Amino acid sequence: MAQIVTADRPAAKGTGTAPADRSQAADRSTGRRLARNLTPLVVDVAIPTGGYYLLHKGLGVDVVTSLALSGVVPAVHTVVDAVRHRVFNGLAGLMLAVNAVGIVLSFVTGDARLMLAKDSGVSSVIGLGILISAFRGRPLMSAGLKPFMTKGDPARIAAWDRLSAGSAAFHRLERRFTVIWGLALLGECAARLVGAFTLPIDTMAWLSTVILLGAIAVGIVVGGTASGPMEKLVAAETES
């Protein structure tokens, strides 16, 4: 009996428990990555929008002050995130600078529309940077897509790296994916800029968020024409 138990244990470890544990660990890792990617969306988009309506509609604070104060949370989040991770990249600095300048200009000029228009400045710079990276052969959006497509699997990561370095077809898809996102952000910038100076402020306070989410949706859906084939190439390379 002792020999049977001893013989069975390695089989259970090798065929049942370990794969299940790896699958659960991969799911938890994917969930953590998703949460990390959604946090900036909540902090930088949802909280400022809700803050504006709470201050202006709920507490009766004037429009300029409401818009300025609602922009404080993203600015603070940028600084805290930089201090916590000891990294202050160009994008974080840009967002902080735009928020700070927008708040100062709004108080100096008394023009609430400048606060609404400032966000389009961020989108335009990011969009242009993304497009330039695509045409320089270093597509920025690949860095954001890679973790989702490889799922932390060393074999898939190695397959991605081989394709990115040596496959012309894969590189074209990387470039296409990046161009799509760059154009989506530039379109979002143009729409928000026009709306900031033509539509009622109360309307743009919520419509600005809708436009941003719409641009993200366009990037995801249209970007699928590139990310779908990329995923197939990664899968095929992993199996080869």
Side-chain angles (χ1 to χ4, degrees):
M1 179 65 71
Q3 291 178 349
I4 296 175
V5 173
T6 303
D8 287 345
R9 282 180 181 172
K13 288 182 180 179
T15 60
T17 305
D21 288 344
R22 285 196 296 268
S23 177
Q24 291 173 1
D27 290 342
R28 286 194 296 270
S29 178
T30 301
R32 286 194 295 269
R33 286 198 300 270
L34 181 60
R36 284 197 299 269
N37 282 281
L38 290 178
T39 296
L41 187 63
V42 174
V43 174
D44 298 334
V45 177
I47 291 179
T49 303
Y52 166 78
Y53 282 105
L54 174 63
L55 291 168
H56 183 54
K57 297 296 186 180
L59 302 178
V61 180
D62 65 272
V63 175
V64 173
T65 304
S66 298
L67 287 171
L69 291 178
S70 65
V72 169
V73 174
V76 171
H77 173 254
T78 300
V79 175
V80 171
D81 196 52
V83 171
R84 179 183 300 169
H85 297 100
R86 297 182 181 180
V87 174
F88 195 73
N89 56 44
L91 178 56
L94 173 65
M95 294 180 68
L96 180 60
V98 169
N99 273 296
V101 171
I103 291 171
V104 172
L105 286 177
S106 295
F107 280 122
V108 170
T109 65
D111 189 353
R113 294 186 181 278
L114 286 175
M115 279 296 293
L116 296 172
K118 70 176 177 61
D119 294 328
S120 64
V122 176
S123 298
S124 65
V125 174
I126 296 173
L128 286 172
I130 288 174
L131 284 177
I132 291 172
S133 75
F135 291 108
R136 291 185 63 185
R138 298 179 179 178
L140 283 174
M141 293 305 296
S142 291
L145 181 62
K146 182 178 178 180
F148 285 96
M149 196 162 290
T150 58
K151 301 178 177 64
D153 183 352
R156 293 178 69 88
I157 292 173
W160 174 290
D161 291 339
R162 288 194 300 271
L163 289 168
S164 185
S167 171
F170 189 81
H171 192 64
R172 282 195 298 271
L173 290 170
E174 284 186 283
R175 180 179 296 179
R176 183 198 303 176
F177 184 77
T178 294
V179 168
I180 288 170
W181 274 94
L183 292 176
L185 287 174
L186 286 180
E188 180 259 350
C189 160
R192 286 213 280 185
L193 188 61
V194 171
F197 291 102
T198 59
L199 296 176
I201 293 174
D202 279 349
T203 300
M204 273 307 296
W206 62 264
L207 185 58
S208 180
T209 301
V210 173
I211 293 173
L212 174 59
L213 295 177
I216 293 173
V218 168
I220 292 173
V221 173
V222 181
T225 61
S227 62
M230 288 171 69
E231 187 168 16
K232 291 179 181 179
L233 286 174
V234 169
E237 180 69 18
T238 303
E239 296 172 358
S240 64

